[in-house]
């Protein structure tokens, strides 16, 4: 276990594939709270119920108002040093390494920091799509709030919905497939700002370890219970740990 002051830059000699899995903890310094735990979004009265598939069917306007507030918050925030450190590493190694970001976050901050090809496990708060899965309407960028009425699909007239994974919904097949593919041949796996003990981090680290990757978890809190698939645990805020860890790496 290391604290930020003791963290030395990673040695990347011989590594040509790195996978990051990021969670809410990486966006805290951007002013976006974590979702679980004390003070988290899902602890606010009624919040968790509004983020369900059931609420979409029964209270769509209330749900749109709730997600519109989150949209506004994400839109007003900026990527922090942790997002930037990952994007800078990708830029430095765009020719000689494959570096993939898989995120549980919906805030689009990795993309705004310049990370290409981010795999979004839970969707994107700034995207809207048709509520009918068989509709031909492509999900589209939509930072606008919807506060007065539920927007409708211009193709089929069905209600539109945020392109997010709601409670009670599975991770989109395409994202899951991309994530699995990314883990193939991975030599270094870093979970950042996400608990190492719950899915998907716990599954992903197992796959990475099976591939023979070195595995690191960067989080504020020590893992409890600890997960033996992580070989290294670095404690501290992501925006302090990552710039040190990735500084001039390679
Ligand atoms: Zn439609």
């Amino acid at each position: 276990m290391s604290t930020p002051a003791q963290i030395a830059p990673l040695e990347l000699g011989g590594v040509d594939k790195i996978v990051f899995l990021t969670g809410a903890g990486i966006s805290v310094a951007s002013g976006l709270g974590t979702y679980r735990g004390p003070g988290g979004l899902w602890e606010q009265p009624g919040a968790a119920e509004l983020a369900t598939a059931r609420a979409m069917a029964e209270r769509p306007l209330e749900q749109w108002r709730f997600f519109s507030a989150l949209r506004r918050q994400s839109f007003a925030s900026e990527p922090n040093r942790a997002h930037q450190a990952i994007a800078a590493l990708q830029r430095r190694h765009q020719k000689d390494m494959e570096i993939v970001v898989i995120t549980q976050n919906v805030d689009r901050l990795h993309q705004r920091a310049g990370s290409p090809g981010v795999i979004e496990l839970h969707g994107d708060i700034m995207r809207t799509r048709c509520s009918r899965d068989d509709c031909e309407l492509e999900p589209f960028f939509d930072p606008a709030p919807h506060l007065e009425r539920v927007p409708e699909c211009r193709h089929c007239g069905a209600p539109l919905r945020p392109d997010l994974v709601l409670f009670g919904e599975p991770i989109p097949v395409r994202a899951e497939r991309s994530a699995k593919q990314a883990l193939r041949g991975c030599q270094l796996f870093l979970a950042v700002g996400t608990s190492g003990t719950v899915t998907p981090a716990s599954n992903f680290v197992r796959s990475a370890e099976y591939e023979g990757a070195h595995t690191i978890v960067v989080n504020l809190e020590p893992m409890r219970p600890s997960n033996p698939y992580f070989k290294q645990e670095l404690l501290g805020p992501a925006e302090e740990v990552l710039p040190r860890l990735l500084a001039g790496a390679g």
Side-chain angles (χ1 to χ4, degrees):
M1 214 184 276
S2 307
T3 55
Q6 305 163 321
I7 288 164
L10 277 174
E11 181 49 64
L12 296 181
V15 172
D16 53 31
K17 187 163 190 184
I18 304 177
V19 175
F20 289 90
L21 171 70
T22 67
I26 198 171
S27 295
V28 170
S30 295
L32 299 173
T34 54
Y35 291 152
R36 297 176 197 281
L41 181 68
W42 304 138
E43 300 300 310
Q44 290 173 24
E49 288 84 72
L50 274 178
T52 58
R54 185 172 169 184
M56 186 176 69
E58 293 174 357
R59 299 186 283 161
L61 184 57
E62 263 182 276
Q63 186 179 66
W64 262 116
R65 286 179 178 151
F66 172 73
F67 283 124
S68 294
L70 270 186
R71 240 176 210 188
R72 201 165 38 220
Q73 215 180 33
S74 298
F75 203 61
S77 66
E78 295 291 337
N80 65 57
R81 294 176 66 214
H83 301 101
Q84 287 158 357
I86 295 175
L89 185 75
Q90 289 176 301
R91 272 194 301 276
R92 284 204 299 280
H93 291 284
Q94 54 183 327
K95 296 225 168 79
D96 61 340
M97 260 188 219
E98 189 181 350
I99 305 176
V100 183
V101 178
I102 306 173
T103 188
Q104 296 165 256
N105 299 340
V106 299
D107 55 30
R108 202 180 261 257
L109 291 178
H110 284 295
Q111 288 91 329
R112 286 172 57 199
S115 282
V118 177
I119 299 170
E120 296 163 328
L121 294 177
H122 294 158
D124 177 350
I125 186 82
M126 303 292 183
R127 244 180 4 233
T128 293
R129 70 172 166 95
C130 184
S131 56
R132 270 183 48 186
D133 289 337
D134 59 350
C135 179
E136 64 190 68
L137 183 80
E138 287 291 323
F140 60 97
F141 179 63
D142 179 26
H146 297 285
L147 304 172
E148 302 305 325
R149 57 180 204 88
V150 175
E152 287 172 0
C153 174
R154 64 176 188 273
H155 279 286
C156 73
L160 293 177
R161 57 168 287 178
D163 192 12
L164 295 173
V165 176
L166 301 170
F167 287 127
E169 293 181 328
I171 288 174
V173 175
R174 197 188 298 174
E176 198 163 8
R177 201 182 298 143
S178 304
K180 279 185 183 150
Q181 210 159 17
L183 288 163
R184 238 170 266 150
C186 164
Q187 292 164 312
L188 177 61
F189 175 82
L190 291 108
V192 183
T194 177
S195 157
T197 53
V198 297
T199 55
S202 56
N203 290 337
F204 287 179
V205 70
R206 216 168 44 213
S207 305
E209 213 260 357
Y210 182 76
E211 295 286 327
H214 181 58
T215 52
I216 304 176
V217 58
V218 177
N219 209 6
L220 222 39
E221 304 285 329
M223 271 181 295
R224 284 206 190 88
S226 76
N227 180 336
Y229 292 107
F230 281 108
K231 298 293 178 244
Q232 207 180 344
E233 181 175 42
L234 303 174
L235 292 183
E239 69 280 9
E240 286 178 30
V241 175
L242 285 192
R244 282 173 194 267
L245 196 63
L246 307 180

